Amino acid sequence: MARTLTAPEREHFLALPHVGVLSVAADDGRPPLTVPVWYAYTPGGNLNFFTGSQGRVARKTRLLQRSGALSFCVQQTEFPYKYVTVECTVVEEDWTPSAEEVTAITSRYLPPHLARAFAEAETADPAGTFVLFTARPDRWLSFDFADDAPASAGD
């Protein structure tokens, strides 16, 4: 039977280097914008992720500024399935993050030399369209289907 994760379990799961899926309310009657993002999270802390779009302000940046809130989801795509969804309030936007702050996120997904090169390139962009967001988790939803997994043949 599927179960809800405990607070420590859900925070640990969110802290793993999944690709997150961010959703933010759209404008002009369009559905919510939903996009994958790299992120960092430490249990008990805030969620950090960045936006940027090739020299122009990303649509998600504008929408996050307008709404001040987002939904964020990570999942385990192999059985037994598991997911954590968190509703967040944007608490900070940094238009001039340091390469170290960005590397803290990119190093979760890229080899060290590529993570650093990406961070340095993005933070050196004179267009100023790269934004590091910090969001406070407010409400959590989680499920773990591990109890639905069949016992191994040796059990």
Side-chain angles (χ1 to χ4, degrees):
M1 178 68 85
R3 67 176 183 84
T4 300
L5 296 168
T6 65
E9 289 172 332
R10 71 185 184 208
E11 290 187 14
H12 170 76
F13 188 74
L14 183 60
L16 297 173
H18 302 284
V19 172
V21 178
L22 179 147
S23 291
V24 59
D27 46 13
D28 300 330
R30 292 174 65 178
L33 174 67
T34 302
V35 294
V37 297
W38 292 344
Y39 72 96
Y41 173 76
T42 301
N46 289 323
L47 183 70
N48 295 294
F49 59 92
F50 51 78
T51 67
S53 188
Q54 304 166 342
R56 60 182 170 76
V57 175
R59 179 173 175 237
K60 67 180 167 264
T61 300
R62 291 190 316 272
L63 294 175
L64 286 164
Q65 288 178 305
R66 185 182 55 79
S67 72
L70 61 112
S71 291
F72 196 80
C73 181
V74 295
Q75 63 183 338
Q76 178 173 298
T77 59
E78 306 85 28
F79 190 79
Y81 308 110
K82 185 184 299 187
Y83 70 85
V84 168
T85 298
V86 61
E87 296 175 3
C88 299
T89 301
V90 174
V91 295
E92 185 178 350
E93 59 182 75
D94 184 352
W95 288 77
T96 58
S98 70
E100 290 74 25
E101 290 171 309
V102 177
T103 301
I105 297 172
T106 58
S107 64
R108 292 167 42 95
Y109 303 95
L110 299 171
H113 69 286
L114 293 176
R116 183 71 185 175
F118 177 93
E120 288 174 354
E122 291 297 333
T123 57
D125 181 4
T129 59
F130 189 82
V131 184
L132 178 65
F133 281 92
T134 302
R136 181 189 65 240
D138 296 319
R139 283 173 292 290
W140 298 76
L141 177 64
S142 64
F143 246 60
D144 182 356
F145 292 86
D147 290 345
D148 292 339
S152 67
D155 290 346

